[in-house]
Amino acid sequence: MVKVLMVCLGNICRSPLAEGILKSKMSSENVIVDSAGTAAYHIGNLPDSRSIEIAKKHGIDITPQRARAFLVSDFKSFDYIFVMDRSNYNNIISLAENSSEIAKVKMILNELHAGDNLEVPDPYYGGNGGFENVYQLLDASCDIIAKKITN
């Protein structure tokens, strides 16, 4: 069983989409996917309504998800930790206790553009088009992640 954690700032826009997208591409028998935020702004809340809508448009239901904060124990619980941007990356690795924990943390768009450290833009303050763009970026990255995990 492989365990994957998706992380963004508030765990209501990007990481819930990434969680839902990867879950839609994998069997729950092979992988556990969760998401978290580096800030505790929205703990217990549903994903942003615009994320819910964009996921629904693509046949994915993310309404069972609830926002939670990243925990230091997540390093031990998960095999892969994918972050959406450099700020998330820096926040997470600052909590790591050793190099093996740091090695688990990856910029998700490096799956598409290895080593470029590109960021998934935060669509929170943008229009609805930003959510579609984020969906497409995460969908393409999750295709690659799903293939890597199943091989």
Side-chain angles (χ1 to χ4, degrees):
M1 180 70 70
V2 176
K3 297 179 182 179
V4 179
L5 183 64
M6 304 295 192
V7 180
C8 70
L9 179 63
N11 191 214
I12 60 167
C13 293
R14 296 170 290 175
S15 57
L17 276 174
E19 176 185 344
I21 292 166
L22 187 59
K23 280 181 175 177
S24 76
K25 297 176 183 300
M26 306 287 300
S27 165
S28 60
E29 296 172 7
N30 301 332
V31 66
I32 291 173
V33 185
D34 195 6
S35 62
T38 57
Y41 306 137
H42 305 286
I43 291 176
N45 292 350
L46 280 165
D48 185 284
S49 61
R50 296 164 294 177
S51 286
I52 291 170
E53 276 304 307
I54 238 26
K56 185 178 179 181
K57 175 183 165 189
H58 293 280
I60 299 170
D61 179 11
I62 62 172
T63 58
Q65 297 181 34
R66 296 296 178 271
R68 73 173 185 86
F70 180 86
L71 305 170
V72 172
S73 61
D74 288 332
F75 285 116
K76 292 179 180 36
S77 300
F78 292 91
D79 303 300
Y80 299 96
I81 301 171
F82 289 101
V83 298
M84 303 297 136
D85 61 39
R86 282 181 210 87
S87 177
N88 305 147
Y89 181 85
N90 292 332
N91 288 337
I92 297 299
I93 64 164
S94 73
L95 300 172
E97 296 176 355
N98 55 55
S99 59
S100 67
E101 290 180 351
I102 291 171
K104 292 181 178 189
V105 185
K106 313 258 186 246
M107 298 277 290
I108 195 164
L109 291 186
N110 278 347
E111 298 303 312
L112 290 173
H113 306 282
D116 287 351
N117 295 324
L118 299 176
E119 298 184 333
V120 176
D122 190 342
Y124 187 79
Y125 292 108
N128 289 341
F131 283 83
E132 179 64 35
N133 179 51
V134 165
Y135 181 91
Q136 295 302 326
L137 290 169
L138 294 174
D139 186 53
S141 294
C142 286
D143 276 343
I144 295 167
I145 294 166
K147 287 175 185 152
K148 284 183 177 180
I149 289 173
T150 56
N151 288 338

